[in-house]
Amino acid sequence: MKRSFKFTAAAAAILLAGTAMAAAPKAKPHASSAATTATLGGHPNLNGIWQVMSGANFNLEPHSASDSPVATRQLGAIAATPGGLGVVEGDVIPYKPEALAKRDAQRAAAPHADPEAACYLPGIPRATYMPHPFQIVQGEKGDMLFVYEYASANRVVHMQKVEVPPIDTWMGTSYGQWEGDTLKVTTLAENPGDVKLPGGALEPGVTWLDRSGNYLTGTATITEKFKPIDKDHIAYEVTIDDPTIYTRPWKMTMVIYRNIDPNAQLMDFRCVPFSETFLYGDLLADKDKYPKK
C-alpha cells in the first residue's frame, strides 16, 4: 500500500506540473521594448560591453556534439564541441558545389588554417559572436568604434553612405546608417590576403566564419543590423552576399547581451604569444638538425 501511494502521488505531481507548464503563456521572443532604451543624439544608445551567448563560433549550422579531431587524447572533453541549434536561416549555408568542397576540406583539416588558432584578426561578422566580449563606443554624432577583446581587434564604423573601400583588409571597411532605431552596417573589402600557416606554408587566406571551416571571400557584402530589443539586449541579424561561393544571399540571427556587471571591462587578450608554437612548432621539432655554435 505504501509503495502504491508513493507511485500515485508522484504521478499526480508530474501531471499537475505538466498541466501548469501547458497553461503557462509562451514568451514572445524579441518582443520590442525599445522605448525603454536610452537614446544618444536621437538614436538608441548602444554604448557598453556586449557578448553573444551561442554556439555560433563552433558551427553556424545546426550540429551535434563531437570530440576534437586533434586534441582528444590530450584534453578529452575540454576540447569537445557542444551541440548547437544553429543560427542560419533555413539551417544550411547555400554553398556552390566547389565552395562546399573547400569548406569540407577546411573542416577536415581544422584548426590548421583557422585564423582564430593563429591569432589572426577574425573578420566580420565572426568577431561579434566569438566567445569574447566586445565594446561599442558611440558618441552623439560621428563615427562609432567597435573594440574586441580577442586579439585587441577593433573597427571603425564610418557613419556615412557606402563607398568603395580603397584597399582590402582583414576586418574590411564598415559603413553605418541609422534606419529608425536599427543600426545598419555594411562591410566590404574583407580579405586577409596571403597568410602564414603551420609548417611554413604561405597560402591565400579567406575569412573563416566559425571553427567548422565555413567561410566567405573578399568579394562578399556583409550587412549587419543591430536592433535594440530593450536596454540590455540587441537583435543581431547578418546577411552575407558572395556570388562567387554562394548560390544566393543568406542570413543568420542571434541575440547580443549587455554585460551589466558594474565592474565589466574588456581584458587584455593579445593572443600572438599563444599562437607561436602553433605556427612555428615545426622549427622547434627540427632544432636538433642545426649544430650549436
Side-chain angles (χ1 to χ4, degrees):
M1 289 296 293
K2 291 182 179 180
R3 182 177 301 175
S4 176
F5 173 78
K6 290 180 180 179
F7 175 81
T8 304
I14 294 173
L15 179 60
L16 288 172
T19 303
M21 292 175 64
K26 293 183 178 180
K28 297 180 179 179
H30 300 337
S32 177
S33 55
T36 64
T37 303
T39 60
L40 183 64
H43 304 294
N45 185 351
L46 304 182
N47 278 299
I49 294 178
W50 304 86
Q51 189 165 357
V52 169
M53 293 188 288
S54 76
N57 192 55
F58 289 107
N59 191 339
L60 295 176
E61 298 176 328
H63 59 279
S64 300
S66 60
D67 61 3
S68 167
V70 294
T72 300
R73 184 172 180 180
Q74 294 80 11
L75 297 177
I78 293 175
T81 296
L85 297 175
V87 296
V88 177
E89 187 177 87
D91 292 339
V92 178
I93 298 174
Y95 287 104
K96 293 181 177 180
E98 60 275 15
L100 181 61
K102 178 179 177 64
R103 191 284 306 272
D104 290 346
Q106 291 183 160
R107 176 175 296 179
H112 178 74
D114 186 346
E116 182 184 2
C119 191
Y120 294 141
L121 294 177
I124 304 300
R126 190 180 186 186
T128 302
Y129 51 78
M130 295 182 79
H132 302 272
F134 67 94
Q135 185 169 1
I136 298 177
V137 182
Q138 175 187 350
E140 289 192 13
K141 58 182 179 179
D143 297 340
M144 299 174 65
L145 178 65
F146 283 55
V147 184
Y148 304 93
E149 184 174 87
Y150 173 83
S152 300
N154 65 80
R155 63 162 165 163
V156 174
V157 175
H158 304 277
M159 299 303 292
Q160 63 180 66
K161 66 178 183 179
V162 178
E163 298 180 352
V164 178
I167 59 173
D168 289 1
T169 60
W170 278 86
M171 299 291 282
T173 300
S174 297
Y175 302 96
Q177 300 88 30
W178 286 102
E179 295 183 344
D181 64 350
T182 299
L183 174 64
K184 178 181 177 182
V185 181
T186 302
T187 301
L188 303 171
E190 184 171 289
N191 190 349
D194 292 342
V195 298
K196 166 73 169 61
L197 299 179
L202 189 66
E203 298 181 3
V206 293
T207 298
W208 282 42
L209 296 171
D210 54 27
R211 295 179 182 176
S212 295
N214 289 305
Y215 71 105
L216 56 78
T217 74
T219 61
T221 298
I222 304 136
T223 305
E224 302 166 279
K225 292 185 178 181
F226 300 80
K227 181 179 178 61
I229 300 171
D230 55 38
K231 64 184 182 65
D232 295 325
H233 304 83
I234 296 173
Y236 181 58
E237 175 185 297
V238 186
T239 300
I240 300 178
D241 187 3
D242 191 348
T244 61
I245 61 172
Y246 308 129
T247 60
R248 57 174 173 79
W250 57 279
K251 183 186 300 183
M252 66 176 92
T253 57
M254 57 197 86
V255 176
I256 305 175
Y257 299 81
R258 182 194 298 274
N259 188 331
I260 63 172
D261 189 315
N263 297 317
Q265 59 182 297
L266 298 187
M267 302 303 292
D268 188 3
F269 186 59
R270 301 180 185 183
C271 50
V272 169
F274 313 130
S275 66
E276 291 177 345
T277 301
F278 174 76
L279 287 172
Y280 305 108
D282 57 306
L283 300 180
L284 292 175
D286 295 338
K287 65 180 180 179
D288 295 333
K289 295 181 180 180
Y290 305 99
K292 296 181 180 180
K293 293 183 180 181

